[in-house]
């Protein structure tokens, strides 16, 4: 169980169930009142002082002229374990993804070690797999919108941080639109350096040279060690600016609203929540507690995740 010290995480805590580094490991979330919640549905997209009482939040927190968003950290930088929000499980805990019963790890793409950012998702967003994106010509990937947080601090899985959006990359992954928001934690010392009126991405190139190029390489190549082809990008791999990114976020937030109010078919997606009061999927605190207690009890496991020792290099 972990509490954050400052900012958004101070309003949330996590509770582990199952054995770490095993298929039954789960990381459940609680709010400041000790209620079990869904990070997917019950943590507001927009960061704001009244967010726990306004779902979806009607007011948003700003820093200067910037709207801040909550980000759920799934994977800490430099780690390999593919941790993700379990969208098809009640209360959507973070789990270690599996394929054919085996835990999944991303390969090291030379010269990088694991994920090269703190990687996670924006709550209350959903890339609808039945909606054709007019910009990319592909449907959504059925997940919350992904975030690559490029700040200097290594975050923890399950941490909630408030981020400043900088831009977006349009990955086309096996024929699906998979937006990658580029963001930086609002409390990061480097966040103040990135302040261009419209083109924050240009400031990223200036203050973090090579980082965006490395991001393109990573997403293009990370599935190749698994025998899959290289990924491709819309817009010829061009990073779109902050305003473009915010419009994508708002659009996927509307798709999430439709999902939570049964206006679209979510398929296997679990919409169980306790705070979206006008949603037909809203459940009681007792029901939420029962969901968590039905999961395997927490068991101490190997505190160090198995690492991927192989290094790969793919010349252009």
């Amino acid at each position: 169980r972990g509490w954050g010290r400052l900012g958004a995480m101070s309003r949330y805590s996590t509770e582990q169930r199952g054995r770490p580094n095993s298929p039954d490991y789960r990381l459940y979330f609680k709010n400041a009142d000790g209620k079990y919640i869904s990070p997917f549905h019950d943590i507001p997209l927009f960061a704001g002082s009244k967010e726990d009482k306004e779902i979806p939040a009607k007011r948003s927190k700003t820093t200067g002229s910037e709207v801040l968003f909550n980000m759920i950290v799934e994977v800490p930088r430099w780690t390999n374990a593919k941790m993700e929000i379990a969208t098809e499980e009640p209360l959507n805990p973070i789990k270690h993804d599996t394929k054919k019963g085996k835990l999944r790890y991303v390969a090291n793409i030379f010269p990088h070690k694991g994920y090269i950012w703190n990687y996670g998702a924006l709550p209350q967003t959903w890339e609808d797999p039945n909606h054709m994106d007019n910009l990319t010509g592909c449907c959504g990937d059925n997940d919350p919108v992904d975030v690559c947080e490029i700040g200097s601090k290594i975050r923890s899985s399950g941490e909630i941080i408030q981020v400043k959006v900088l831009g977006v990359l349009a990955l086309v992954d096996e024929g699906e639109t998979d937006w990658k928001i580029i963001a930086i934690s609002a409390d990061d010392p480097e966040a103040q350096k990135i302040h261009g009126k419209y083109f924050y991405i240009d400031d990223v190139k200036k203050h973090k040279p090579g980082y965006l190029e490395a991001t393109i390489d990573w997403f293009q190549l990370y599935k190749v060690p698994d025998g899959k082809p290289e990924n491709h990008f819309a817009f010829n791999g061009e990073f779109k600016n902050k305003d473009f990114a915010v419009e994508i976020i708002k659009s996927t937030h509307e798709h999430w609203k439709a999902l939570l109010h049964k206006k679209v078919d979510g398929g296997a997606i679990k919409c169980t929540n306790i705070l979206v009061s006008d949603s037909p999927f809203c459940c009681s605190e007792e029901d939420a507690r029962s969901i968590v207690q039905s999961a395997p009890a927490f068991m101490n496991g190997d505190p160090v995740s198995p690492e991927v020792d192989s290094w790969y290099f793919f010349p252009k």
Side-chain angles (χ1 to χ4, degrees):
R1 182 175 301 182
W3 284 94
R5 295 179 181 177
L6 298 170
M9 190 59 194
S10 63
R11 291 190 287 273
Y12 302 100
S13 62
T14 55
E15 181 175 315
Q16 300 178 77
R17 306 287 294 190
R19 184 185 295 276
N21 309 312
S22 76
D24 66 358
Y25 177 77
R26 297 293 184 273
L27 191 65
Y28 286 93
F29 288 72
K30 288 183 178 180
N31 65 8
D33 296 326
K35 299 176 183 178
Y36 289 107
I37 61 170
S38 160
F40 187 2
H41 307 304
D42 290 319
I43 294 175
L45 169 62
F46 298 97
S49 59
K50 295 184 178 180
E51 59 186 15
D52 287 334
K53 301 183 184 301
E54 296 178 350
I55 307 293
K58 297 186 175 76
R59 299 177 62 186
S60 57
K61 185 175 180 180
T62 62
T63 173
S65 61
E66 293 306 312
V67 175
L68 300 183
F69 297 90
N70 284 320
M71 172 189 173
I72 305 157
V73 178
E74 296 166 303
V75 186
R77 181 190 283 114
W78 309 137
T79 63
N80 297 79
K82 195 175 188 303
M83 309 299 293
E84 61 178 25
I85 293 171
T87 58
E88 298 182 2
E89 295 182 15
L91 294 184
N92 316 113
I94 288 179
K95 68 173 184 177
H96 194 153
D97 190 29
T98 60
K99 185 174 183 179
K100 297 181 179 178
K102 295 183 178 181
L103 300 177
R104 295 184 66 188
Y105 297 88
V106 298
N108 296 311
I109 303 299
F110 185 86
H112 311 295
K113 172 68 174 66
Y115 288 77
I116 64 175
W117 342 258
N118 295 301
Y119 191 69
L122 293 178
Q124 297 188 341
T125 61
W126 181 53
E127 297 189 59
D128 186 346
N130 297 309
H131 173 75
M132 177 74 73
D133 191 296
N134 292 331
L135 298 170
T136 66
C138 298
C139 293
D141 72 345
N142 206 29
D143 283 325
V145 173
D146 295 323
V147 186
C148 302
E149 194 279 319
I150 66 171
S152 54
K153 183 177 179 180
I154 296 176
R155 302 290 177 166
S156 301
S157 185
E159 193 170 352
I160 310 300
I161 58 176
Q162 296 176 350
V163 298
K164 174 179 177 179
V165 167
L166 309 177
V168 65
L169 178 67
L171 176 68
V172 178
D173 187 351
E174 298 183 34
E176 297 176 334
T177 302
D178 191 1
W179 295 103
K180 305 297 181 182
I181 300 294
I182 309 301
I184 189 167
S185 176
D187 65 1
D188 193 278
E190 295 182 326
Q192 300 306 313
K193 299 178 182 178
I194 301 173
H195 53 69
K197 185 174 182 181
Y198 300 109
F199 299 103
Y200 286 5
I201 284 295
D202 290 342
D203 274 357
V204 174
K205 294 175 181 177
K206 176 181 177 181
H207 296 291
K208 290 180 173 288
Y211 208 162
L212 295 180
E213 291 80 0
T215 294
I216 289 284
D217 286 345
W218 197 96
F219 279 120
Q220 185 173 359
L221 301 171
Y222 82 104
K223 288 189 175 182
V224 173
D226 295 329
K228 295 183 178 180
E230 293 183 2
N231 280 323
H232 300 283
F233 307 92
F235 316 116
N236 294 317
E238 174 191 355
F239 286 86
K240 293 298 186 178
N241 66 22
K242 174 204 67 172
D243 290 344
F244 189 105
V246 170
E247 289 305 310
I248 295 299
I249 293 169
K250 289 179 178 178
S251 173
T252 56
H253 184 49
E254 292 303 314
H255 290 307
W256 169 84
K257 287 180 183 178
L259 175 70
L260 262 284
H261 292 88
K262 255 185 178 179
K263 294 180 179 179
V264 294
D265 181 11
I269 296 286
K270 289 293 187 292
C271 298
T272 309
N273 67 86
I274 70 163
L275 296 177
V276 190
S277 58
D278 57 347
S279 166
F281 301 102
C282 191
C283 73
S284 67
E285 294 178 44
E286 292 74 20
D287 289 339
R289 188 179 305 111
S290 296
I291 290 170
V292 177
Q293 291 177 347
S294 67
F298 174 66
M299 299 177 65
N300 288 321
D302 179 359
V304 180
S305 297
E307 299 294 351
V308 177
D309 293 323
S310 299
W311 290 85
Y312 297 87
F313 173 69
F314 299 97
K316 293 293 186 184

